[in-house]
Amino acid sequence: MLEELLIFTRGGLILWSSCRALGAAALKGSPIDALIRSCLLEERSADASFSQDNYALKWTFHNDLGLVFVAVYQKILHLLYVDDLLAAVRKEFSQIYDPKRTSYDDFGDIFRQLHREAEARTEEMKKSKQALSSRPQPALTQKKPGPKGRGGDSRGGAANKGGSGAKDDSDGDGYGNQDHRTLANGAFKGQENGVRKENSSHGRTVVVKGKENGAPKDEGAFDVSKLQKLRANKKNGATDNGTKKLTKPDIKKKGKQDRVWDDKPSNKKLDFTDPADERGDEVADNVAVIEGESMMDKDEDLSSDSEDEEVEDGPKKKGWFSSMFQSISGNNVLEKSDLQPALKALKDRLMAKNVAEEIAEKLCESVAASLEGKKLGSFTRISSTVQTAMEDALLRILTPRRSIDILRDVHAAKERGRPYVIVFVGVNGVGKSTNLAKVAYWLLQHNLSVTLAACDTFRSGAVEQLRTHARRLQIPIFEKGYEKDPAVVAREAIQEATRNKSDVVLVDTAGRMQDNEPLMRALSKLINLNSPDLVLFVGEALVGNDAVDQLTKFNQKLADLSAVPTARLIDGILLTKFDTIDDKVGAALSMVYISGAPVMFVGCGQSYTDLKKLNVKSIVKTLLK
């Protein structure tokens, strides 16, 4: 049973609803609002369906009029007529639609008729399928293969007898089924380094492979081996009689320069460690003065020197006059076949920029769904229209749905008398500890007190690494050594920071693969026990398709292993090694699309200042360049 069919504009104005027109009961919850937030606004409109609570939703668009048609029904019911009904309602409603009109109460009778017709067509289709399935299927008889003759072909009955009365295209010699088509070089099909020979008595062609068949060699036969020998002799003769090959003069390579042995002093400083006294305590100046200002507080200018490139429409089939006329008229209605060449070029371009294939495919399908049925404007190409739609879609995806201002949230937590807690999670070797130190350095520049919590009690050297960062940044660190429960260490660190009135606690965790359930269970316990204000996923900008798998399984494990009904998932993303990827920035798009979490920090170097914000416009321009 269909629960509701709703028609509204892209601006959010509801034009007609089956619940209001037919007096049906209202839906429980807000499944249509969830559809708009999760699919339509997030460029997932190309999906086949959407589920919310106990409802399943399907939809279609009229892009030229800017209308959205949504059908809602119970998830347990498999209604086969929904797509047919949506298409019929779309066709009928577009004929009576007027932009100045806001009420369509008279559409109820039309909808009832369309609903009955769609159900009747579905019932007829079911009956026809049942009738076809009830028919007895004819028994399939298999032909027994006969003995194979020369050349690998089977002979018929008359051919086996060798008589001349066989009714086929052959001369009754048993080769009636053999294919005698010649190839371009004159050899017969199936011939391998053999000899082609004409048999005048039977008028047929026989393939003789060398002298192993025992047949006498005919004088008129052509030997391929002789031709190969003649070509080889000719080539050798031409080489001997011709000029000698020129040889390149030997160029001596430059030797190594400035080799330094043990008895000579080195001109370069190779020891970059901080000076320390005999007790091991560091005697160094404030690193904040040495490093300078963090790149997080610098606005990145988007250079507009390079011109925007357009996606090719594909092979041009029409002349310049017809293309010019269509551009001037501006009455072309875009169809899916018109969009395919430009969308394929865009998909290849996105995948070349390290966007996951699945996400690139979904984005192109979403753009096609938003453009199909629209009319081209005057002097407008399909490629520029597709590229503009893709650019708008990428901007909507990469722009955060909710504002996360860490500095503002830190001051709000400070007023409530507690520290602001950030937990860094991710797979092995992505740079969690290093970028945690960069975030700590940025917070110190804003006059905030920071405490580090060494909760990586699994990897050897993890506590010492974080202790070194704390010593260089001159901030306190809370540690309990190795083989301790990370959740308990984090809780005690937060309690210690509360007593010392620290503003921020940065929790370092052990790297773990998304498939390692014991470590994922420990991470879920740490998050549920301490309820951090922000959970940051640290991921490499080098990954492509693996980014989708990592984020999906991290969120899934955190939800499955949570002890509370409302599980805490990933709130934001920190992309590392962004300076090593050149223009392969697709991992940022893949991670944001699959998780819905914004990219809050970007690591772009080895020093503490190499941390900056994600420039959305720059990323979009790079993806489409």
Side-chain angles (χ1 to χ4, degrees):
M1 177 182 177
L2 191 68
E3 296 289 335
E4 184 179 8
L5 194 140
L6 187 68
I7 306 173
F8 57 93
T9 64
R10 287 186 180 272
L13 177 63
I14 298 177
L15 300 176
W16 186 84
S17 172
S18 62
C19 289
R20 290 190 306 186
L22 307 180
L27 299 176
K28 296 180 181 179
S30 303
I32 297 179
D33 292 342
L35 169 71
I36 294 173
R37 288 193 304 267
S38 302
C39 284
L40 304 187
L41 294 180
E42 292 296 320
E43 294 301 325
R44 292 178 173 86
S45 56
D47 295 345
S49 62
F50 174 76
S51 298
Q52 177 71 18
D53 297 332
N54 296 323
Y55 297 109
L57 294 87
K58 288 191 175 183
W59 60 93
T60 186
F61 302 105
H62 196 298
N63 292 314
D64 193 25
L65 301 178
L67 301 178
V68 184
F69 303 82
V70 181
V72 186
Y73 57 95
Q74 291 290 336
K75 191 190 300 185
I76 60 174
L77 302 177
H78 298 285
L79 301 183
L80 302 178
Y81 63 85
V82 174
D83 294 328
D84 188 16
L85 178 62
L86 282 173
V89 170
R90 177 181 179 272
K91 180 180 178 181
E92 294 294 332
F93 191 84
S94 61
Q95 294 177 359
I96 65 172
Y97 173 70
D98 185 3
K100 297 180 181 179
R101 185 178 172 186
T102 58
S103 177
Y104 295 88
D105 296 334
D106 55 342
F107 189 70
D109 296 333
I110 302 174
F111 173 74
R112 290 190 190 93
Q113 181 66 24
L114 295 176
H115 193 186
R116 285 194 293 267
E117 291 176 358
E119 287 181 333
R121 283 193 295 269
T122 305
E123 291 298 327
E124 290 178 2
M125 190 182 301
K126 286 182 179 179
K127 290 178 181 179
S128 61
K129 286 184 178 179
Q130 290 175 359
L132 289 174
S133 60
S134 61
R135 288 182 183 177
Q137 297 293 332
L140 298 176
T141 58
Q142 294 183 353
K143 213 171 188 180
K144 294 183 179 181
K148 292 185 177 181
R150 286 176 293 176
D153 296 327
S154 60
R155 309 177 185 180
N160 291 334
K161 295 179 181 179
S164 60
K167 295 181 180 181
D168 51 73
D169 296 332
S170 66
D171 295 331
D173 54 358
Y175 289 85
N177 294 331
Q178 186 173 356
D179 189 5
H180 297 294
R181 289 175 292 178
T182 58
L183 301 178
N185 59 357
F188 276 70
K189 184 179 180 182
Q191 180 177 351
E192 297 177 1
N193 297 330
V195 180
R196 191 180 65 176
K197 184 175 178 181
E198 294 288 334
N199 192 330
S200 57
S201 61
H202 296 282
R204 58 176 177 163
T205 303
V206 183
V207 177
V208 183
K209 296 186 178 180
K211 297 181 180 180
E212 294 178 0
N213 293 333
K217 187 174 182 181
D218 194 8
E219 294 179 357
F222 183 75
D223 195 352
V224 181
S225 60
K226 283 187 177 182
L227 178 61
Q228 294 177 351
K229 290 179 180 179
L230 287 173
R231 286 179 178 175
N233 293 334
K234 187 176 180 181
K235 186 175 180 181
N236 294 334
T239 306
D240 297 338
N241 298 330
T243 58
K244 294 183 178 180
K245 294 183 180 179
L246 297 175
T247 58
K248 295 182 179 180
D250 296 334
I251 301 175
K252 295 183 179 180
K253 295 183 180 180
K254 295 182 179 180
K256 296 181 180 179
Q257 297 179 356
D258 297 335
R259 182 182 293 274
V260 179
W261 302 96
D262 294 335
D263 55 345
K264 293 183 180 180
S266 175
N267 295 327
K268 296 181 180 180
K269 180 184 176 182
L270 300 179
D271 188 5
F272 293 99
T273 57
D274 297 317
D277 57 8
E278 295 179 354
R279 297 174 299 172
D281 296 332
E282 185 178 357
V283 183
D285 296 333
N286 194 348
V287 180
V289 180
I290 301 173
E291 295 286 346
E293 185 181 1
S294 175
M295 296 176 68
M296 278 290 296
D297 301 319
K298 297 179 182 179
D299 294 330
E300 184 179 356
D301 295 331
L302 181 61
S303 60
S304 58
D305 298 336
S306 59
E307 297 180 356
D308 296 337
E309 299 179 3
E310 289 187 353
V311 184
E312 295 295 332
D313 293 342
K316 298 181 179 179
K317 298 180 180 179
K318 299 180 181 180
W320 66 271
F321 182 77
S322 59
S323 300
M324 180 62 69
F325 178 75
Q326 290 179 358
S327 297
I328 294 174
S329 61
N331 290 325
N332 282 347
V333 178
L334 291 176
E335 297 180 358
K336 196 167 185 179
S337 58
D338 301 329
L339 301 171
Q340 286 304 321
L343 289 174
K344 185 180 183 305
L346 264 181
K347 178 186 173 183
D348 295 340
R349 183 175 296 184
L350 290 174
M351 290 175 60
K353 298 297 174 64
N354 219 13
V355 178
E357 181 180 3
E358 177 188 357
I359 293 174
E361 181 71 28
K362 288 184 178 180
L363 278 173
C364 291
E365 290 176 357
S366 178
V367 170
S370 65
L371 290 179
E372 190 177 355
K374 275 191 174 182
K375 289 183 179 179
L376 277 179
S378 300
F379 300 100
T380 305
R381 296 177 58 192
I382 295 178
S383 60
S384 58
T385 304
V386 171
Q387 182 146 344
T388 302
M390 179 63 76
E391 184 176 350
D392 295 340
L394 295 178
L395 283 173
R396 283 194 296 271
I397 292 171
L398 291 173
T399 302
R401 286 180 291 177
R402 61 188 180 93
S403 176
I404 301 180
D405 190 345
I406 293 181
L407 298 178
R408 181 193 61 195
D409 295 342
V410 168
H411 287 291
K414 188 177 180 180
E415 292 176 357
R416 293 193 292 269
R418 66 174 186 84
Y420 187 84
V421 181
I422 304 176
V423 175
F424 293 78
V425 302
V427 299
N428 308 77
V430 295
K432 290 184 297 298
S433 302
T434 303
N435 286 274
L436 178 146
K438 294 180 185 179
V439 174
Y441 177 77
W442 170 65
L443 293 171
L444 288 173
Q445 287 194 318
H446 289 272
N447 300 321
L448 297 172
S449 57
V450 182
T451 298
L452 304 185
C455 296
D456 185 357
T457 61
F458 181 77
R459 177 174 64 90
S460 300
V463 176
E464 288 78 7
Q465 180 185 4
L466 204 64
R467 189 187 300 157
T468 302
H469 287 305
R471 192 166 62 240
R472 285 181 57 83
L473 295 172
Q474 298 181 358
I475 55 178
I477 178 174
F478 185 88
E479 55 173 290
K480 285 291 186 179
Y482 295 97
E483 297 182 0
K484 301 294 190 300
D485 189 353
V488 177
V489 176
R491 183 180 60 184
E492 294 178 359
I494 296 171
Q495 294 173 354
E496 182 70 17
T498 305
R499 287 192 294 268
N500 297 334
K501 295 184 178 181
S502 290
D503 299 328
V504 185
V505 178
L506 303 181
V507 180
D508 186 28
T509 62
R512 64 205 75 211
M513 296 304 294
Q514 60 269 23
D515 299 322
N516 193 329
E517 186 165 340
L519 287 178
M520 290 301 299
R521 190 178 298 276
L523 178 62
S524 178
K525 178 184 176 183
L526 185 149
I527 293 174
N528 293 327
L529 183 63
N530 296 284
S531 300
D533 298 280
L534 189 65
V535 179
L536 278 182
F537 178 84
V538 184
E540 285 183 334
L542 304 170
V543 295
N545 292 321
D546 198 35
V548 178
D549 186 60
Q550 288 177 7
L551 267 171
T552 303
K553 290 188 176 179
F554 254 84
N555 269 333
Q556 188 65 41
K557 289 292 184 182
L558 290 178
D560 294 343
L561 301 175
S562 176
V564 294
T566 56
R568 278 296 303 274
L569 303 179
I570 293 169
D571 300 316
I573 300 168
L574 193 157
L575 274 179
T576 65
K577 306 175 185 179
F578 213 73
D579 55 324
T580 64
I581 58 172
D582 194 19
D583 62 343
K584 304 294 190 295
V585 296
L589 177 64
S590 300
M591 290 183 178
V592 174
Y593 186 90
I594 204 65
S595 67
V599 176
M600 304 185 62
F601 301 101
V602 173
C604 54
Q606 298 296 323
S607 61
Y608 292 130
T609 60
D610 293 330
L611 188 74
K612 61 182 181 181
K613 295 178 287 187
L614 183 72
N615 192 324
V616 175
K617 292 184 178 180
S618 175
I619 296 296
V620 172
K621 183 178 179 181
T622 305
L623 286 171
L624 298 179
K625 185 170 64 175

